């Protein structure tokens, strides 16, 4: 802080000589107001970048709630593990689970293999259908050609007349 004898510089760099305590107080108030507004703008920009308001109390409550939930769940896990051990099913249950996991994996692989075979068979079936259509069309062509050649060899039963006449 400047003393009245030293004077005060404002943000623009101008120097004011302070003659009275009221002038000094007014000038300091204006300077503090500008600094406060600049801090508010900087805080708003920071909040915009962070993505919301930072509420320390809310975060502390949330953290405490999560820690309480964590402790409660850990206690529950310990209780369940103790109950399994008391029943003597701990290792048996894990072994059964591993067997089921292996069986499921084998079945998944089998399903995948069968799906591949199914797709291959569908492709082969479509190829056979296409080939069948081509053969049926070829047979039809041959029947028509044979029919025409028989009629032509027995004598012309029909006369070809040109539809277009040239001038």
């Amino acid at each position: 802080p400047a003393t009245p004898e030293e004077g005060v510089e404002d943000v623009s760099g101008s120097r004011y000589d302070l003659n009275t305590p009221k002038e000094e107080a007014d000038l300091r108030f204006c300077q503090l107001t500008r600094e406060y507004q600049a801090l508010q703008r900087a805080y708003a920009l920071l909040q915009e970048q962070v993505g919301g308001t930072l509420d320390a109390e809310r975060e502390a409550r949330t953290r405490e709630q999560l820690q309480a939930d964590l402790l409660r769940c850990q206690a529950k896990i310990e209780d369940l593990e103790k109950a399994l051990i008391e029943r003597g099913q701990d290792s048996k249950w894990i072994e059964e689970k591993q067997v089921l996991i292996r069986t499921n994996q084998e079945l998944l692989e089998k399903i995948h293999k069968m799906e591949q075979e199914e797709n291959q068979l569908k492709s082969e079936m479509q190829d056979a259908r296409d080939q069948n259509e081509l053969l049926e069309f070829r047979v039809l062509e041959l029947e028509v050609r044979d029919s025409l050649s028989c009629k032509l060899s027995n004598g012309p039963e029909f006369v070809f007349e040109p539809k277009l006449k040239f001038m």
Side-chain angles (χ1 to χ4, degrees):
T3 62
E5 295 83 28
E6 295 173 348
V8 173
E9 279 188 25
D10 69 357
V11 177
S12 65
S14 302
R15 188 160 181 80
Y16 295 101
D17 290 325
L18 304 173
N19 298 330
T20 66
K22 181 173 180 358
E23 289 176 346
E24 179 184 355
D26 288 344
L27 186 60
R28 292 198 187 283
F29 178 76
C30 289
Q31 188 176 11
L32 287 172
T33 303
R34 283 191 298 272
E35 288 177 10
Y36 176 72
Q37 289 172 346
L39 285 172
Q40 281 184 326
R41 285 190 298 272
Y43 182 75
L45 285 173
L46 180 63
Q47 293 297 14
E48 214 173 274
Q49 290 174 353
V50 170
T53 59
L54 297 175
D55 185 3
E57 289 179 19
R58 185 177 61 191
E59 286 183 16
R61 284 191 307 258
T62 304
R63 181 181 304 263
E64 289 173 7
Q65 179 66 38
L66 290 174
Q67 285 177 340
D69 290 347
L70 176 64
L71 291 174
R72 187 174 39 81
C73 290
Q74 285 175 336
K76 188 174 184 176
I77 289 171
E78 289 174 8
D79 291 343
L80 290 172
E81 286 176 345
K82 286 178 186 176
L84 282 175
I85 290 172
E86 288 174 3
R87 292 183 182 170
Q89 296 177 349
D90 191 26
S91 62
K92 181 181 172 188
W93 179 77
I94 291 173
E95 290 171 8
E96 288 175 0
K97 182 179 175 184
Q98 289 176 349
V99 167
L100 288 174
I101 289 173
R102 266 187 259 122
T103 304
N104 283 342
Q105 186 63 34
E106 290 169 0
L107 290 173
L108 263 172
E109 290 171 5
K110 204 173 191 180
I111 287 172
H112 184 66
K113 183 180 176 184
M114 290 184 146
E115 284 175 346
Q116 286 177 340
E117 287 179 22
E118 177 188 17
N119 289 335
Q120 182 182 356
L121 290 172
K122 282 181 179 179
S123 175
E124 289 175 11
M125 189 168 65
Q126 186 60 42
D127 290 345
R129 283 183 182 150
D130 293 343
Q131 187 67 27
N132 186 31
E133 281 184 34
L134 288 173
L135 289 173
E136 285 178 359
F137 184 73
R138 183 69 179 142
V139 166
L140 188 62
E141 281 181 332
L142 290 174
E143 287 176 350
V144 168
R145 184 187 300 165
D146 190 44
S147 166
L148 281 177
S149 68
C150 284
K151 286 183 180 181
L152 288 177
S153 65
N154 291 339
E157 294 179 12
F158 55 90
V159 177
F160 291 105
E161 293 182 16
K163 299 262 182 188
L164 297 174
K165 295 188 179 180
F166 297 102
M167 295 191 180

